[in-house]
Amino acid sequence: MSPTQKAPWYSPVLSLRWRLAVVYSALFGIFVILLSIFIYSSTSQLLLSNAKPAFLQHAQGLRTQLTQEMCDTSPTPTLARFLQQNTTNNIDTIYLLDTNGKVLASSGGSLLNQPFSYVNATLFTGASTNLTYPFQMNRPDMQTLDGLLLSLHAPANCLVPQRLPNYMAVLTSYDNEEGILRNMLLMLGSTSAFMIVVGALIISFFTGIMFKPLEQVTLTTRELARGDLQQRVPFLHSRDELSELAISFNKMADRIEQMFASQQASERRARRFVSDAAHELRTPITSLRGFTDVLIRGAKDDPAVAQRVLGLMKTEAERMTNLVNNLLTLARLDESHVPVPADLDLVAIVVECLQQARQQTFNNCRLALELSTQERLIIRADQEYLQQMVHVLLKNALNYGCTGEQKRILLRLDKKAGYALIQVLDNGVGIAPDDLPLIFDRFYRGENAYSSTSPPIPGTGLGLPIALAIAQAYQGTLTACSEPNQETIFTAAFVCVE
């Protein structure tokens, strides 16, 4: 007995089809999410990597622009106007500082006349004339801004160097890039959700199609379990595992049907054996009981009567013995319990059987042998069983075929199409058309077995069934054809070895 394996906890909830659909959908969802994360991360890094150099170039451009405007002899520009004109989406705040780091002006109006505390104060004391110092600023809303501190140096041609501040601090939060990333994140999120839902539906649909043959196997299995052994799985025009499963299942179903049919046939044979044995043994047993009663009532005191009764009892005992032997022979043949076949010379066996039958002839019945071929007739069978089959056919011909004027029985041997033929011909009363299909049934005796003008022909109706079973046991056939009051032919055919 195979060990019992505990089913997973989700088995009562999800069938195998839906489990596979959920697994495939989950894997597809994970793939879509990872792909979205990769696209978002790559785009974010690309935008920021491009924004930082652009921010540096923009800040340096502002420094150049401020230097040119402050050194020009045109009407005096104001720092406030410069800051207002140059605060764009890419620049959040601009601070202009003096030599000590105090804020002279700012685009947002913050930190005026206060030290610019976002960089180290020591930086202003030893700052170079071409300073570009990056720093970060944390706003109250927890957003971090990138900044650049640039030194401002008046060129040699500057007419009014006193107008120029000493430092400029530029801050940016990359709002444009952050907006692009937010929109992209929203788009990727909605697209991923849509793809996951559509992918799950498609996977479920195709999983159902792929599992359709398995559902057919399940339905067929249920029908087989209910007793319909004719059910089969339709043939699948594919070479996948489900096709192999369907083929193996149909082979298993065929095997089960054959075994079930064999079991039923065996049970029928057993019941028929018991029924036939009980029916046929009832008569000799009843006769023996009657003869015993006769002896008990006083027949034993009369030697002549006792001798006659004992003779009848012996006849009934021999009849019962023959009946039991025939039934046992049929039982062994039905279960294929036959001796291993050997190569036999059919001519020699038939000649021996013919000689034995001539010793049992009566009514001046003549037995003749005819060889219609000069080839050797070698077949594979058991000698004892083959002799028994020939004896049955000859005895049947002697009982029914010696009633005509010719009183001749012909035993013919021939070979056709690789088969050795044994034919027994007689010209007796023949077989009635209604009896011909039934002569190989057990215990069946036709109308010619009984006659109002002559005593009934002895027999139990087991001879021809035994002969047929012997022929079939060694891959042979036995057939009969007859025309009433003209000719009857029994033909046994076996495969020739040579």
Side-chain angles (χ1 to χ4, degrees), residues 378-418:
I378 305 299
I379 65 172
R380 291 188 59 82
D382 178 71
Q383 180 175 350
E384 183 177 349
Y385 273 139
L386 186 61
Q387 288 177 340
Q388 184 176 1
M389 183 196 73
V390 176
H391 280 305
V392 168
L393 297 179
L394 291 175
K395 184 177 181 180
N396 186 75
L398 289 172
N399 288 335
Y400 298 96
C402 287
T403 58
E405 296 180 357
Q406 296 184 4
K407 292 185 179 182
R408 180 174 178 269
I409 296 174
L410 177 63
L411 184 58
R412 178 188 298 160
L413 295 181
D414 198 358
K415 182 178 181 180
K416 291 183 180 180

Side-chain angles (χ1 to χ4, degrees), residues 276 280 396 400 431-450 459-465:
D276 294 344
E280 293 299 323
N396 186 75
Y400 298 96
I431 304 174
D434 294 338
D435 293 335
L436 189 59
L438 305 175
I439 59 174
F440 293 107
D441 291 348
R442 300 177 185 187
F443 297 105
Y444 181 82
R445 306 192 70 200
E447 62 179 17
N448 292 329
Y450 309 97
T460 59
L462 292 177
L464 291 179

Side-chain angles (χ1 to χ4, degrees), residues 233-306:
V233 179
F235 177 74
L236 303 177
H237 298 279
S238 62
R239 295 183 180 180
D240 55 10
E241 289 79 0
L242 290 178
S243 177
E244 294 180 0
L245 175 62
I247 294 174
S248 300
F249 181 87
N250 288 337
K251 290 182 179 178
M252 180 192 68
D254 292 339
R255 182 62 177 168
I256 291 175
E257 185 179 10
Q258 292 174 1
M259 293 176 62
F260 188 75
S262 177
Q263 180 183 1
Q264 287 185 325
S266 178
E267 291 177 355
R268 287 195 299 269
R269 287 193 298 268
R271 288 194 296 268
R272 183 170 61 182
F273 177 83
V274 174
S275 175
D276 294 344
H279 179 269
E280 293 299 323
L281 288 174
R282 183 183 298 115
T283 300
I285 291 177
T286 302
S287 300
L288 289 175
R289 180 183 300 172
F291 295 146
T292 305
D293 292 339
V294 171
L295 291 176
I296 293 175
R297 286 198 300 266
K300 63 180 183 299
D301 298 331
D302 187 343
V305 175

Side-chain angles (χ1 to χ4, degrees), residues 417-478:
Y419 284 87
L421 303 181
I422 308 173
Q423 292 183 317
V424 179
L425 300 84
D426 67 72
N427 301 97
V429 294
I431 304 174
D434 294 338
D435 293 335
L436 189 59
L438 305 175
I439 59 174
F440 293 107
D441 291 348
R442 300 177 185 187
F443 297 105
Y444 181 82
R445 306 192 70 200
E447 62 179 17
N448 292 329
Y450 309 97
S451 175
S452 59
T453 60
S454 60
I457 298 175
T460 59
L462 292 177
L464 291 179
I466 290 176
L468 177 63
I470 292 173
Q472 293 176 346
Y474 294 102
Q475 289 72 51
T477 60
L478 179 60

Side-chain angles (χ1 to χ4, degrees), residues 46 48 56 135 152 189 211 314 329 387 452 484:
L46 181 63
L48 293 178
L56 177 60
F135 66 93
L152 301 175
F211 269 73
K314 179 183 178 182
T329 300
Q387 288 177 340
S452 59

